[in-house]
Amino acid sequence: MTPSPLLFLLLLGLVGAQAPVDLRTAAAMAAGLCKTRPTDIVFIIDSSRSVRPSEFEQVKVFLAKVIEGLDVGPNATRVGVVNYASRVKNEVSLKTHRTKAGLIKAVTKIEPLSTGTMTGLAIQFALNVAFSEGEGARVKSPDISKVAIIVTDGRPQDNIKEVAQRARDAGIEIFAIGVGRVDMSTLKQMASDPLDDHVDYVESYSVIEKLTKKFQEAFCVSDLCATGDHDCAQVCISSPGSYKCACKDGFTLMDDGRSCSACSNSATDVVFLIDGSKSVRPENFELVKKWINQIVDKLDVSESKAHVGLVQYSSSVRQEFPLGRYNNKKDLKDAVKKMAYMERGTMTGQALRYLSDNSFGPGQGARPGVTKVGIVFTDGRSQDYIGDAAKKAKENGFKMYAVGVGNAVEDELKEIASEPTGEHYFYTADFKAMTQIAKKLQINICQGEIRENRDKNLNLAQHY
């Protein structure tokens, strides 16, 4: 079967639109993840004699592409189409088609009326008929949106100001699209406020499809849980355009509204060991500092709970501040922002020895009997041997997380990380993706771990 010209144009437009659709919206649409709040949409399309047949086909392509992005169904989006010139024809009722395929097929069959331009008559028809319950519109409710999208290329031959006002007063949100030599003042008389959001103009019908993006974004609310655009540690519960986090059975949602814990909110000593070598580069080092503060945001920083220290290394090691110096998030995050970039080499082994021998000692603010957590960040291969130092840190009872970016070596990250390594090491090729690691890295300390590590920590204190 030979495809119709409209179907060919539709397929061509979906593959190569002149105005690229927002990637997240496009991805959501492709995956079937678009949701719309219950909406009754009526397209009011001008098919007067000034609209040539080929141009009218382009209008239908535009309608079909917008419909393609909708969550069509009896309880979601219902679509109607009103065709007008000197007379008005109800081409598609809100009650007629409940599937995208049926709607698009109906749109392909619409023929132009090719007479005058009675736009006011068309709006009155939509108000009285197209948006009536008899034609499938739902009862007026704060939960049901009513939307009219008017496409016209000329000056109305009748009055539109008063009838458009009546339609808006009835709760219909009006978008006005003008083409070519359209009278802009009449568009503004028809459209809802704010006009910047509800009035659009294109030079010709050949480029009307560039407005597809606007209406896809207007009516497509992504399921943020399904698209992964959330930072919930365990369970994401979707709502239109938003979400909330929850936890699996046996876990408790933490105060940050994202993290989950089956453990007590116990005292913890956390030390960041940060690679400041020259390969990181200044702009990425700023991203690393933001990443540290993302993790700090998830900790219960206080005198009695989480204490945080910061060490930077390159060819040498520099303590930025010890554990317990800052006992509130604001001061702590400000101190992280002030950290100056060292540059030079990547002596990760030396830095790990410093962590084991110094950072968690009582002289550096560490508390006896408190679980010790080390978070190591690097962007490259170590220039010295890390094996012995990594082993010693874990033998001392430290819970070790390893995070690598760019040229970091995953075998080295795994050697640094505590067991199970899959939960304690992270890698990404791009510094800009570090925010995703911050979302995934969960520092949950259980009482069992505290009891298990207490003797090691006390022995370590005696060593110092």
Side-chain angles (χ1 to χ4, degrees):
M1 186 173 89
T2 303
S4 70
L6 173 60
L7 182 58
F8 175 78
L9 285 170
L10 175 59
L11 293 172
L12 181 63
L14 288 173
V15 174
Q18 293 179 15
V21 175
D22 174 79
L23 291 178
R24 191 166 73 180
T25 301
M29 287 175 58
L33 302 174
C34 279
K35 303 294 179 185
T36 50
R37 58 178 301 194
T39 308
D40 293 340
I41 300 176
V42 173
F43 291 93
I44 303 173
I45 55 173
D46 177 356
S47 67
S48 57
R49 66 175 65 91
S50 61
V51 183
R52 295 191 292 270
S54 61
E55 294 173 332
F56 193 69
E57 289 297 306
Q58 290 164 334
V59 174
K60 293 193 289 183
V61 169
F62 167 68
L63 264 61
K65 289 182 70 175
V66 174
I67 291 168
E68 189 64 37
L70 300 175
D71 180 23
V72 175
N75 298 317
T77 301
R78 301 181 185 182
V79 178
V81 182
V82 170
N83 183 14
Y84 80 95
S86 294
R87 61 188 179 92
V88 181
K89 184 178 180 183
N90 201 25
E91 300 282 3
V92 178
S93 289
L94 289 168
K95 66 182 179 182
T96 308
H97 299 285
R98 302 299 175 89
T99 67
K100 292 181 188 180
L103 278 168
I104 292 173
K105 185 175 181 180
V107 167
T108 66
K109 296 180 179 179
I110 299 174
E111 296 293 334
L113 301 174
S114 301
T115 50
T117 310
M118 301 293 282
T119 309
L121 182 65
I123 296 172
Q124 186 67 60
F125 180 90
L127 178 60
N128 292 346
V129 180
F131 281 107
S132 69
E133 291 180 44
E135 292 299 311
R138 283 163 283 193
V139 176
K140 185 177 179 181
S141 161
D143 298 325
I144 307 291
S145 298
K146 308 284 186 182
V147 175
I149 302 174
I150 303 171
V151 182
T152 181
D153 78 334
R155 182 186 296 273
Q157 295 173 334
D158 56 357
N159 184 279
I160 55 97
K161 185 175 181 179
E162 292 180 1
V163 66
Q165 185 62 57
R166 288 198 295 274
R168 294 193 300 268
D169 290 345
I172 300 172
E173 182 181 9
I174 301 178
F175 291 86
I177 300 172
V179 183
R181 292 177 293 177
V182 70
D183 177 45
M184 293 299 296
S185 66
T186 58
L187 294 181
K188 294 175 182 178
Q189 289 176 23
M190 290 188 284
S192 297
D193 288 324
L195 294 179
D196 286 347
D197 293 338
H198 292 85
V199 175
D200 289 283
Y201 171 80
V202 291
E203 300 81 1
S204 67
Y205 284 104
S206 64
V207 293
I208 192 171
E209 69 177 81
K210 74 180 183 180
L211 296 179
T212 303
K213 174 184 175 181
K214 169 181 176 172
F215 289 99
Q216 284 171 332
E217 291 180 344
F219 300 117
C220 170
V221 180
S222 296
D223 182 341
L224 299 179
C225 291
T227 59
D229 290 325
H230 65 85
D231 54 2
C232 297
Q234 291 187 356
V235 179
C236 180
I237 301 172
S238 185
S239 59
S242 186
Y243 66 92
K244 64 179 181 179
C245 300
C247 298
K248 298 175 183 176
D249 289 345
F251 289 79
T252 301
L253 188 67
M254 303 296 281
D255 290 342
D256 63 8
R258 304 183 297 270
S259 306
C260 297
S261 179
C263 315
S264 63
N265 196 9
S266 303
T268 314
D269 286 345
V270 180
V271 174
F272 288 90
L273 189 62
I274 301 300
D275 179 355
S277 60
K278 60 179 175 291
S279 59
V280 174
R281 299 201 301 271
E283 64 273 20
N284 289 331
F285 194 69
E286 293 303 310
L287 294 177
V288 173
K289 291 193 284 186
K290 289 180 180 178
W291 172 78
I292 294 170
N293 281 339
Q294 274 188 283
I295 297 173
V296 168
D297 274 332
K298 298 163 70 173
L299 299 174
D300 185 5
V301 178
S302 68
E303 181 69 38
S304 61
K305 297 298 175 60
H307 287 189
V308 177
L310 178 61
V311 175
Q312 183 183 175
Y313 74 94
S314 58
S315 297
S316 59
V317 181
R318 183 174 76 202
Q319 179 174 261
E320 301 292 343
F321 52 83
L323 289 161
R325 175 172 291 179
Y326 305 105
N327 289 320
N328 65 76
K329 288 184 183 180
K330 181 183 184 305
D331 291 345
L332 180 56
K333 291 169 70 175
D334 286 344
V336 171
K337 292 175 185 176
K338 292 175 182 176
M339 177 171 56
Y341 179 35
M342 291 177 70
E343 301 191 47
R344 301 198 301 277
T346 310
M347 304 292 282
T348 311
Q350 176 180 289
L352 285 167
R353 284 191 294 276
Y354 181 92
L355 182 81
S356 292
D357 296 341
N358 298 280
S359 297
F360 289 118
Q364 300 301 320
R367 294 165 289 179
V370 171
T371 297
K372 309 293 190 286
V373 177
I375 302 176
V376 182
F377 165 82
T378 182
D379 86 322
R381 181 184 294 275
S382 178
Q383 294 172 339
D384 61 351
Y385 180 61
I386 69 164
D388 290 342
K391 182 180 178 181
K392 183 178 180 181
K394 288 179 283 189
E395 286 178 346
N396 284 343
F398 307 155
K399 181 189 284 284
M400 298 296 294
Y401 292 86
V403 178
V405 177
N407 293 320
V409 179
E410 291 196 62
D411 285 345
E412 290 186 354
L413 298 177
K414 292 176 182 178
E415 193 167 8
I416 295 168
S418 293
E419 295 288 344
T421 54
E423 296 177 9
H424 292 86
Y425 99 94
F426 304 86
Y427 172 80
T428 179
D430 185 0
F431 276 88
K432 293 179 181 177
M434 289 181 67
T435 182
Q436 298 303 318
I437 292 177
K439 292 176 182 178
K440 294 175 183 177
L441 198 157
Q442 303 292 326
I443 303 173
N444 290 329
I445 307 302
C446 297
Q447 290 289 356
E449 292 179 75
I450 293 171
R451 287 191 295 272
E452 180 184 338
N453 291 325
R454 181 172 289 130
D455 291 340
K456 291 181 180 179
N457 289 334
L458 288 172
N459 290 336
L460 189 63
Q462 291 171 1
H463 165 77
Y464 289 113

